[in-house]
Amino acid sequence: MHILHLTPYYHPAYAFGGVVRAAEGMAASLVARGHQVTVLTTDALDQTTRCIEPTEETIDGLRILRRPNLSTRLRGRLNLSTPRSMKRTAVSILPTVDILHVHEFRTVENLLVTPVAQALGIPIVLSPHGTLNMSTGRGRLKATWDRLLSPAVAQRIDHVIALTETELSEVRGIWARFGKRQKPTNFSVIPNGVHLKDFIELPSADHFRRRHGLGNAPTVLFLGRLQARKGVDVLVRAFQRAKVEHARLLIVGPDEGMLSQVQALAAGDSRIVCTGYLGSDERLEALAASDVFALPARGEGLSMAILEALATGMPAVISPGCNMPEVVTATAGFVVDATADAVAVKLRELLVDADLRERMGMAARQLVAERYTWERVAGELLSVYSQL
């Protein structure tokens, strides 16, 4: 089977968050199953910078086609692509493709490529990655987009893959507004995954801990973009209220509007360390150096950062908005309201009890091994593709 993945950003553009890692994990796992996979994307590296990687390359059997954006300014201001020659590339490659799998819904890429696929009768699968809900940001732009552009794209989608049952319910409600197709759109739930082997043998944490002044202190990790819905401000307050004086809070991720508020809250507290965005190697070092993961988010799809933390054997303190109640049923951590007081109680419980951290950490890794590996996800994706 030849599968084309269409995404606004791809490796190494990890500054855009979990969508990049999810698309990369899907593509690699499908290649490992013996399928032909092509990724069509843009040259975006972050909100202001272009990739220096070749416009076309093949890595471990995976073909990647990058088309240049006309404007990096629009990417930074509105998070919109302006891909040059994207449609021409689609016209060239789609006749050889069996399935088009698009990532995120409200994208310029979808406006350009899905009509070509529809005209050729190629089935189209959508992974929204938790971005459909208005609460995940840019609500005014999304509402305008939905009024003018979304119904036509939605009519072309044959199958929508939600990350969780919560997202599935949201997707069905949103899709009902876009009108009925002659052949109804189908829906399913397939989670994100990780390559577990990448997190079993992590790099040594010693150098990272020395560089960031963590010492031997038990360390709470926040890993994600610094934006309001991620709850990083709640976490800073919670950490301070937990009153574990020898502990550290490590905040890793690019600023998307919250850094100044975090710095103001943490002013004078040397236990709180902000690193900014970290590349892949340093990201693994940060995971290796940490003992507890925390994400009191107000709206998530299925966080790649949570899965990576659990895969390293870290217990998690997360909110209901993270859509992972399995963390509680697997005794791999706690799900609590996204308030400073509620999060503080569970942070303190884990920070002062190394045995509890170890027990929950072992359960966390087992949970990922059983439910959230890319190998398992690939099988579920191929089932959807085959039905189409």
Side-chain angles (χ1 to χ4, degrees):
M1 192 181 300
H2 185 188
I3 305 141
L4 177 64
H5 285 269
L6 178 69
T7 174
Y9 13 72
Y10 193 71
H11 163 85
Y14 299 120
F16 289 104
V19 174
V20 177
R21 296 184 185 278
E24 185 180 23
M26 289 182 195
S29 62
L30 292 166
V31 169
R33 290 281 189 117
H35 295 276
Q36 181 183 356
V37 181
T38 303
V39 173
L40 179 57
T41 187
T42 75
D43 64 351
L45 180 63
D46 56 35
Q47 297 286 4
T48 60
T49 312
R50 300 178 188 272
C51 284
I52 60 172
E53 274 68 20
T55 57
E56 299 190 17
E57 62 179 335
T58 300
I59 302 175
D60 296 330
L62 173 67
R63 186 184 183 200
I64 304 169
L65 308 177
R66 294 186 181 87
R67 295 298 173 255
N69 281 299
L70 291 171
S71 168
T72 56
R73 186 177 182 186
L74 279 176
R75 169 59 68 198
R77 294 189 64 185
L78 298 175
N79 198 30
L80 285 178
S81 299
T82 50
R84 191 171 62 206
S85 71
M86 178 75 71
K87 184 173 183 178
R88 185 163 66 247
T89 301
V91 169
S92 172
I93 194 173
L94 276 169
T96 71
V97 167
D98 299 298
I99 294 285
L100 172 63
H101 191 148
V102 303
H103 297 270
E104 298 192 352
F105 177 58
R106 302 177 183 93
T107 72
V108 173
E109 289 81 1
N110 289 347
L111 298 178
L112 295 171
V113 176
T114 58
V116 182
Q118 183 187 42
L120 292 169
I122 297 168
I124 303 173
V125 176
L126 165 68
S127 287
H129 295 290
T131 63
L132 282 173
N133 195 301
M134 295 295 178
S135 69
T136 57
R138 295 184 171 88
R140 185 176 299 178
L141 176 61
K142 287 180 178 180
T144 302
W145 191 283
D146 283 352
R147 189 168 60 253
L148 300 176
L149 302 170
S150 290
V153 176
Q155 290 291 317
R156 302 181 191 119
I157 305 297
D158 295 285
H159 194 108
V160 182
I161 296 175
L163 291 169
T164 64
E165 292 292 340
T166 299
E167 187 182 22
L168 177 63
S169 178
E170 292 174 350
V171 168
R172 288 184 183 277
I174 292 169
W175 231 249
R177 304 202 305 262
F178 295 146
K180 291 185 177 180
R181 303 170 80 226
Q182 187 173 3
K183 183 180 179 181
T185 299
N186 289 321
F187 304 88
S188 62
V189 176
I190 301 177
N192 285 328
V194 297
H195 294 297
L196 194 58
K197 61 181 176 58
D198 294 341
F199 301 95
I200 292 175
E201 294 185 9
L202 290 169
S204 170
D206 294 343
H207 179 64
F208 186 94
R209 278 185 162 272
R210 286 196 301 271
R211 187 163 71 249
H212 294 287
L214 302 179
N216 295 318
T219 298
V220 179
L221 173 66
F222 172 93
L223 183 60
R225 289 172 287 172
L226 273 60
Q227 53 184 219
R229 71 181 178 89
K230 298 283 188 178
V232 63
D233 54 328
V234 173
L235 178 56
V236 172
R237 293 188 182 97
F239 177 76
Q240 292 172 328
R241 292 180 192 183
K243 297 186 183 302
V244 183
E245 294 304 321
H246 64 291
R248 297 288 185 272
L249 172 59
L250 181 64
I251 299 175
V252 176
D255 180 30
E256 291 197 3
M258 289 296 293
L259 179 60
S260 59
Q261 186 173 340
V262 167
Q263 289 174 330
L265 288 169
D269 193 338
S270 61
R271 301 173 305 150
I272 301 175
V273 178
C274 296
T275 68
Y277 170 73
L278 298 180
S280 293
D281 292 341
E282 287 185 301
R283 178 188 179 93
L284 290 175
E285 290 177 355
L287 286 163
S290 302
D291 303 284
V292 176
F293 179 83
L295 183 64
R298 290 182 279 274
E300 284 286 300
L302 180 61
S303 167
M304 290 294 297
I306 294 176
L307 296 181
E308 291 175 356
L310 296 174
T312 66
M314 238 189 290
V317 179
I318 60 176
S319 61
C322 293
N323 298 308
M324 277 201 73
E326 298 89 345
V327 164
V328 173
T329 55
T331 65
F334 302 102
V335 176
V336 298
D337 290 339
T339 66
D341 287 340
V343 174
V345 170
K346 295 306 178 185
L347 286 184
R348 179 175 178 82
E349 193 172 331
L350 285 165
L351 288 171
V352 301
D353 191 338
D355 290 338
L356 178 62
R357 294 199 301 270
E358 183 176 359
R359 290 196 304 273
M360 285 192 158
M362 292 175 63
R365 179 170 284 167
Q366 185 64 29
L367 172 63
V368 172
E370 291 176 355
R371 301 190 188 184
Y372 298 106
T373 65
W374 283 124
E375 292 77 11
R376 176 169 177 164
V377 169
E380 296 180 30
L381 289 174
L382 288 169
S383 178
V384 169
Y385 298 162
S386 298
Q387 289 170 21
L388 291 172

